Amino acid sequence: MSDSHDKGKAAQRPENEDDASARSSAENTQGSSSEKTKKLPPKMIESLMDLNPALKSELAAMDKDQAADTLSKLDISQLLTGLTVGGKNQKDMASYKFWQTQPVPSFDDQASKKASPQGPIKIINPDEVPKTPDALIEGFEWCTLDLTDPTELKELYELLNNHYVEDDNAMFRFSYSESFLHWALMSPGWKKEWHVGVRATKSRKLVASICGVPTELRVRGERIKVTEINFLCIHKKLRSKRLTPVLIKEITRRCYVNGIYQAIYTGGVILPTPVSSCRYYHRALDWLKLYEVGFSPLPHGSTKARQITKNHLPSTTATPGLRPMESKDIDAVFDLLERYMRRFDLNQAFNREEIDHWLVYKEQPGKEQVVWSYVVEDPNTHNITDFVSFYNLESTVIDHHKHDAVRAAYLYYYATETAFTDNSKALRERLQLLMNDALICAKKANFDVFNALTLHDNPMFLEKLKFGAGDGQLHFYLYNYRTAPVPGGINDKNLPDENKMGGVGVVML
């Protein structure tokens, strides 16, 4: 029950979309995942297993035929991408011995031809839930973070900014502002006891964290209460102490005590077992800066001037009636988003209070803006026909002589009435117009790059609007809940595919 915190976000450098060789490795994986996995050379399979300890351990526990069958059933895009992202913490999170004890689907479930019924994997008896946490190793103790206390909020901010996700080359690290943490961890219904920390007993220093917020999901129409798990972070000097499983068990226990028995989390490595996998795409807004910090390559045969020109955006938006979202728009956006989200197998079931919290920016002294939301108001009827949003998550640029941060906008939730016309051409054109305007708005807000996954209806516009494929994959997991895999917007070539949409409709921070 963790986010595995290898999310592959800002640490990803887009592939060279102008270089044919950059595409060839993905294209070579076309065909059924079963056929291609069976044809992988033994040395490649061995390398893949070394990068994926959880999968390696499980296959080792099976007989030869069963292991081969399991391997053949795994999605090739899961095997070939997302495995090395965030390798700093991979070993601990991918401990199969731990996940074997948890109510999560095993890899063998995916290989089985017998469909399991959708629903909870384990029925939790509240009377059997421990009332106290497990003991920590000597010298450390549990704590509950009070994020209304500026001192403790700053402690979490400093822990994450110094020890959270960074890329394999130690060039970028997520930089969560205090305003972002307030927004992400104090949503409607938030519980203080779900903000879990570990302190060094003598120094009182915060050395680890794992946090959760309550929400509701719809999984193929079934509505369930879950905890959204995030910010699993351990001080670099303590990575060998095996704190991760203990943190996961403790946040699980605290959720059980509150009567919540399911969770959703994401990770950049494959654990038992993803319900879906999406790929990251990146759209340069300030290409030169991204090139200077090592985020974007200079394509073979191109020039800096050509890349700057290629990524140029208009100075003004083109959608009539586009304006910033206000509090008066909450009911209209709530109605539109609810209808739009029900089109996806896995989606977040918002309430009105959550729409207010997650989407409406309210200026406050001393607080940075975290989310940008825009609506399209029909000039004649004054009805809200569309809305789009993105949020800010900066990354620190480590040891760079010129730039200290990359400002990244992440596509958040959006919806359009055009989705209900059953006209895919009209929907594609509307989304391309709306998202191009979102890019322009982000550029005006001084963002350097605009990131998006292949979830929602994103495959309809990613390549058209010059998003480049990243080297990061984000895997979605459900804890103590089983359902058949849902599409992640990518095909067997690991490229956006409109025929693979309709699965993931939830955005994880």
Side-chain angles (χ1 to χ4, degrees):
M1 193 169 173
S2 88
D3 70 348
S4 173
H5 66 267
D6 299 326
K7 293 185 179 176
K9 291 183 180 176
Q12 305 315 304
R13 290 180 294 282
E15 70 179 19
N16 178 357
E17 63 267 36
D18 295 336
D19 188 345
S21 64
R23 292 271 185 180
S24 63
S25 62
E27 291 172 351
N28 285 338
T29 65
Q30 61 184 327
S32 74
S33 59
S34 175
E35 293 171 350
K36 291 300 173 182
T37 304
K38 289 178 179 176
K39 294 179 182 179
L40 287 176
K43 286 187 177 180
M44 180 177 289
I45 292 177
E46 185 177 346
S47 297
L48 290 170
M49 295 305 97
D50 287 340
L51 290 170
N52 215 335
L55 182 57
K56 185 176 183 179
S57 296
E58 181 155 2
L59 293 176
M62 302 177 186
D63 63 53
K64 187 176 180 180
D65 291 340
Q66 186 182 18
D69 188 48
T70 298
L71 187 60
S72 72
K73 296 298 193 299
L74 292 179
D75 188 338
I76 192 68
S77 67
Q78 293 179 351
L79 283 173
L80 297 181
T81 57
L83 296 179
T84 59
V85 177
K88 304 287 186 299
N89 313 304
Q90 182 172 289
K91 182 177 179 181
D92 202 23
M93 279 309 306
S95 169
Y96 175 66
K97 289 182 180 179
F98 168 71
W99 288 107
Q100 197 175 28
T101 68
Q102 302 301 297
V104 296
S106 69
F107 293 124
D108 193 39
D109 289 345
Q110 203 173 60
S112 174
K113 292 180 172 60
K114 184 179 179 181
S116 300
Q118 176 172 310
I121 295 172
K122 179 181 180 181
I123 302 302
I124 307 301
N125 183 344
D127 296 332
E128 296 177 357
V129 176
K131 300 301 185 286
T132 57
D134 288 347
L136 285 167
I137 56 177
E138 186 177 355
F140 299 93
E141 60 187 57
W142 294 108
C143 70
T144 298
L145 299 172
D146 181 1
L147 300 186
T148 64
D149 182 337
T151 301
E152 296 198 25
L153 179 65
K154 186 176 182 180
E155 285 184 289
L156 179 60
Y157 159 80
E158 291 177 346
L159 174 69
L160 294 173
N161 280 6
N162 291 322
H163 303 281
Y164 203 44
V165 182
E166 63 185 41
D167 69 311
D168 285 339
N169 298 316
M171 295 171 66
F172 308 101
R173 184 188 301 125
F174 291 146
S175 178
Y176 291 94
S177 69
E178 293 180 24
S179 297
F180 185 99
L181 294 175
H182 260 296
W183 179 68
L185 293 175
M186 300 178 73
S187 56
W190 68 277
K191 298 180 184 298
K192 178 181 175 181
E193 59 267 34
W194 289 1
H195 301 158
V196 183
V198 173
R199 292 188 183 278
T201 303
K202 290 184 178 179
S203 68
R204 309 304 303 156
K205 183 179 178 65
L206 183 68
V207 296
S209 68
I210 186 169
C211 300
V213 294
T215 191
E216 292 193 22
L217 298 178
R218 279 183 290 254
V219 185
R220 291 191 163 93
E222 183 175 345
R223 191 161 177 150
I224 58 173
K225 292 183 178 181
V226 303
T227 306
E228 183 177 319
I229 300 296
N230 213 331
F231 303 116
L232 194 165
C233 180
I234 298 170
H235 194 288
K236 290 177 180 178
K237 292 183 178 179
L238 300 177
R239 296 276 165 84
S240 64
K241 300 293 185 182
R242 302 289 299 154
L243 285 174
T244 298
V246 185
L247 283 164
I248 295 169
K249 287 178 67 177
E250 177 56 13
I251 190 70
T252 301
R253 185 191 69 82
R254 295 189 185 200
C255 291
Y256 284 178
V257 167
N258 281 272
I260 304 298
Y261 306 122
Q262 278 74 39
I264 184 171
Y265 51 102
T266 56
V269 293
I270 300 179
L271 307 171
T273 299
V275 67
S276 190
S277 299
C278 298
R279 190 176 186 182
Y280 271 104
Y281 272 71
H282 313 271
R283 209 301 187 174
L285 302 178
D286 186 342
W287 182 87
L288 184 59
K289 178 178 178 180
L290 297 178
Y291 170 73
E292 289 174 345
V293 301
F295 188 95
S296 293
L298 178 63
H300 178 71
S302 188
T303 65
K304 294 179 185 179
R306 190 181 301 169
Q307 289 303 108
I308 292 170
T309 301
K310 175 185 174 181
N311 289 285
H312 177 73
L313 287 164
S315 57
T316 57
T317 57
T319 308
L322 183 74
R323 61 169 174 79
M325 181 179 175
E326 303 172 30
S327 294
K328 67 179 183 179
D329 303 314
I330 291 174
D331 288 334
V333 169
F334 174 52
D335 173 72
L336 176 59
L337 184 59
E338 271 288 283
R339 290 183 287 119
Y340 179 82
M341 294 291 283
R342 288 177 183 273
R343 299 166 56 247
F344 301 96
D345 292 334
L346 175 65
N347 66 81
Q348 192 161 351
F350 289 106
N351 58 41
R352 188 187 184 281
E353 190 180 4
E354 288 172 328
I355 295 293
D356 186 15
H357 173 84
W358 292 117
L359 297 175
V360 181
Y361 168 61
K362 303 177 184 68
E363 188 172 357
Q364 298 179 52
K367 283 201 172 184
E368 304 171 20
Q369 184 170 358
V370 177
V371 64
W372 281 253
S373 299
Y374 300 86
V375 297
V376 177
E377 180 178 344
D378 186 292
N380 298 317
T381 65
H382 299 291
N383 292 333
I384 300 302
T385 60
D386 314 75
F387 104 95
V388 62
S389 60
F390 53 86
Y391 64 87
N392 172 32
L393 177 51
E394 292 189 7
S395 279
T396 299
V397 182
I398 302 171
D399 296 329
H400 194 273
H401 67 283
K402 184 176 180 180
H403 303 289
D404 58 6
V406 170
R407 277 177 56 84
Y410 286 83
L411 181 59
Y412 198 32
Y413 286 97
Y414 63 87
T416 175
E417 291 286 0
T418 312
F420 309 109
T421 63
D422 293 325
N423 185 331
S424 59
K425 181 176 183 293
L427 177 59
R428 187 181 306 108
E429 291 175 350
R430 185 63 175 180
L431 288 179
Q432 289 174 2
L433 177 67
L434 189 65
M435 294 304 162
N436 199 61
D437 280 351
L439 294 174
I440 294 169
C441 291
K443 176 69 173 176
K444 286 184 175 181
N446 298 315
F447 284 95
D448 302 315
V449 63
F450 198 104
N451 299 329
L453 286 157
T454 53
L455 42 69
H456 286 151
D457 291 317
N458 297 3
M460 285 188 158
F461 59 80
L462 289 173
E463 293 181 322
K464 176 70 174 180
L465 297 184
K466 303 175 184 176
F467 281 77
D471 56 11
Q473 202 95 346
L474 191 67
H475 308 290
F476 288 77
Y477 299 90
L478 294 175
Y479 184 89
N480 196 21
Y481 197 85
R482 180 184 286 109
T483 190
V486 301
I490 48 176
N491 58 25
D492 288 336
K493 299 178 183 180
N494 201 29
L495 297 174
D497 190 335
E498 292 183 24
N499 293 320
K500 301 294 184 179
M501 299 189 309
V504 182
V506 59
V507 181
M508 297 282 287
L509 302 179

